[in-house]
Amino acid sequence: MTQDEVVIRSRRTVLPEGERPAAVSVRAGRITAVSPYDTAASVDLGDVALLPGLVDTHVHINEPGRTEWEGFATATRAAAAGGVTTLIDMPLNSRPPTVDPAALAAKRAAAEGACAVDVGFWGGAVPGNAPSLRPLHDLGVFGFKCFTSDSGVPEFPPLEPAGMRAAFREIASFGGLVVVHAEDPASLSPPSGGDYAAFLASRPPSAERRAVEQVVRLAEETGARAHILHLSAADCLDVLAEAQADGLPVTAETCPHYLTLCDGDAGTAAFKCCPPIRDAANRDRLWQGLASGVISCVVTDHSPCTPDLKRGDFATAWGGISSLQLGLPAVWTAARARGHDLASVVRWMSEAPAALAAVPRKGGIAPGNDADLVAFAPDEPFTVDPASLHHRHPVTPYEGRTLTGVVQATWLRGARVGGAPAGRLLTRPEAR
């Protein structure tokens, strides 16, 4: 080692080619080498695994405008505690939403100096903002989110079919990425009661399938790259598999709650999200879609709110799940029970999300990448205590559950997270 070099080694280092004993050398915030395990080390983790920092491309931070729901300081502390070193903030539920350059500037001003991890931004595609899409792209947003149905907040309305087509064409013209909340509004209905069964029936799998079919048609027609957000309904997998086999640029993600929970778990409104958590058989099929590669990413869709908005029944409560700090152990607990290894979890939660959004120098332990690293004890169980969570309001459907896998340390560009906020605000590398 040189004087300004740090070497971290583990017998369970998860590299792009798989897990093996290795030592990772870091200088000036970048990984400079991956060497044999017997290399002299500054930090020896032994059998504690060394992972690349996770990349979560689906996080609602809500600041400015709804900072009482969540904010950059609290969300990024929770991210670091959960092994997430890069996140991309959704363009809602902040006010103003990130639908024009002025709103992006407000987002960046609110985030500057407050972030414990690196943060990038999605733009939004809403009715009437087509002239702002290219300027937002030029300013470095990683893509554009749109809704096919009501978003839940009035300042971010959905796109009608004609507006969707126009947005896809415009975004395709500059090679951008469209990420879609895909539920067909004509297939949704108000819940007939306040229990979970009524809520689930109000948002059937057919709503997702019809909207996914619409996205596939638009991707074929316009050439735009499209990504399906928070896939809940396994009935969509054959549509996506066929599109991918035909070479269409359509990908999909799912979330920890769809992979680890089912309708029978739903006790309080902490479980409510849109699209909804479905039955155990559906959950099994989502795992099959993930294993086959039809689903490429697992991201949290961390969507918090104030506790009072979660005190209603399933018809009236806010639909969103807070899991930013718990995504890695939740997914690992379920994955290992199904025979998946840590390398697969890293691929789903770090490598693939980084590739989806083309976040530079993230997503893997490799020379030249940022030294974003996580010490993860994969065999250590713990019981979820809301008091230990760092997001603004300790509401979570995982309360009281026993999960396996503890994040012991997180490094951002080679520096251990825990002091003054050192996160950077990210843009696409080719942005102006």
Side-chain angles (χ1 to χ4, degrees):
M1 286 183 292
T2 62
Q3 189 171 5
D4 61 346
E5 184 179 51
V6 174
V7 178
I8 304 171
R9 69 182 187 182
S10 166
R11 294 187 185 90
R12 300 191 65 179
T13 302
V14 181
L15 303 169
E17 64 271 20
E19 181 184 316
R20 64 176 172 85
V24 179
S25 299
V26 177
R27 184 184 296 115
R30 298 279 184 88
I31 297 169
T32 57
V34 178
S35 307
Y37 176 77
D38 58 7
T39 302
S42 318
V43 179
D44 187 354
L45 297 178
D47 291 325
V48 171
L50 183 62
L51 316 182
L54 303 189
V55 178
D56 193 338
T57 53
H58 197 148
V59 180
H60 295 267
I61 295 179
N62 306 331
E63 186 178 5
R66 287 192 176 95
T67 311
E68 71 275 14
W69 290 20
E70 185 68 281
F72 286 102
T74 50
T76 58
R77 283 199 300 269
V84 177
T85 53
T86 302
L87 57 83
I88 303 185
D89 174 55
M90 281 293 170
L92 73 162
N93 303 300
S94 56
R95 289 183 296 203
T98 316
V99 295
D100 56 42
L104 177 62
K107 272 277 192 185
R108 294 180 66 86
E112 191 68 50
C115 299
V117 302
D118 288 352
V119 175
F121 302 94
W122 295 108
V126 297
N129 85 321
S132 293
L133 299 179
R134 187 180 290 267
L136 282 168
H137 177 78
D138 291 343
L139 289 168
V141 300
F142 286 88
F144 298 89
K145 180 175 186 176
C146 63
F147 278 74
T148 59
S149 57
D150 180 28
S151 73
V153 292
E155 66 273 7
F156 202 97
L159 291 172
E160 300 287 345
M164 283 277 289
R165 180 172 286 103
F168 268 63
R169 284 176 175 161
E170 175 63 13
I171 293 165
S173 74
F174 51 75
L177 172 66
V178 193
V179 301
V180 185
H181 180 124
E183 290 182 286
D184 172 40
S187 303
L188 305 177
S189 61
S192 60
D195 63 2
Y196 194 75
F199 170 65
L200 187 58
S202 75
R203 307 185 88 96
S206 58
E208 286 189 74
R209 184 181 176 102
R210 288 170 183 164
V212 168
E213 289 170 343
Q214 178 192 12
V215 170
V216 168
R217 288 193 298 270
L218 287 173
E220 183 174 24
E221 176 186 327
T222 65
R225 291 187 297 130
H227 180 73
I228 304 299
L229 298 168
H230 46 47
L231 186 72
S232 157
D235 286 357
C236 300
L237 290 171
D238 61 330
V239 178
L240 290 165
E242 184 177 351
Q244 292 165 3
D246 289 343
L248 295 179
V250 180
T251 54
E253 69 187 35
T254 193
C255 303
H257 39 278
Y258 301 130
L259 295 170
T260 62
L261 305 174
C262 68
D263 56 350
D265 299 319
T268 70
F271 288 81
K272 182 179 177 180
C273 58
C274 300
I277 296 165
R278 304 189 188 277
D279 60 40
N282 180 85
R283 180 179 60 189
D284 291 344
R285 292 169 62 201
L286 289 177
W287 277 103
Q288 292 166 11
L290 193 59
S292 71
V294 175
I295 301 170
S296 56
C297 305
V298 180
V299 292
T300 62
D301 188 13
H302 178 72
S303 185
C305 63
T306 53
D308 60 294
L309 296 178
K310 279 292 193 182
R311 290 189 186 122
D313 60 23
F314 283 101
T316 60
W318 173 259
I321 284 181
S322 299
S323 61
L324 185 54
Q325 188 171 332
L326 299 171
L328 173 57
V331 172
W332 169 237
T333 300
R336 72 187 308 205
R338 292 171 180 267
H340 299 289
D341 59 12
L342 266 179
S344 296
V345 172
V346 164
R347 184 172 67 253
W348 301 328
M349 301 188 77
S350 183
E351 179 183 336
L356 168 74
V359 187
R361 300 186 306 277
K362 306 292 187 181
I365 297 176
N369 276 358
D370 288 346
D372 298 348
L373 302 166
V374 178
F376 182 65
D379 301 317
E380 185 175 337
F382 70 101
T383 299
V384 177
D385 176 4
S388 69
L389 301 177
H390 293 276
H391 61 263
R392 186 173 296 279
H393 301 290
V395 176
T396 174
Y398 294 100
E399 179 176 358
R401 286 179 171 261
T402 298
L403 302 178
T404 302
V406 172
V407 172
Q408 294 188 344
T410 301
W411 291 269
L412 181 69
R413 285 183 297 279
R416 186 160 176 171
V417 177
R424 296 177 181 173
L425 304 187
L426 305 177
T427 60
R428 290 179 9 270
E430 69 273 20
R432 286 206 303 251

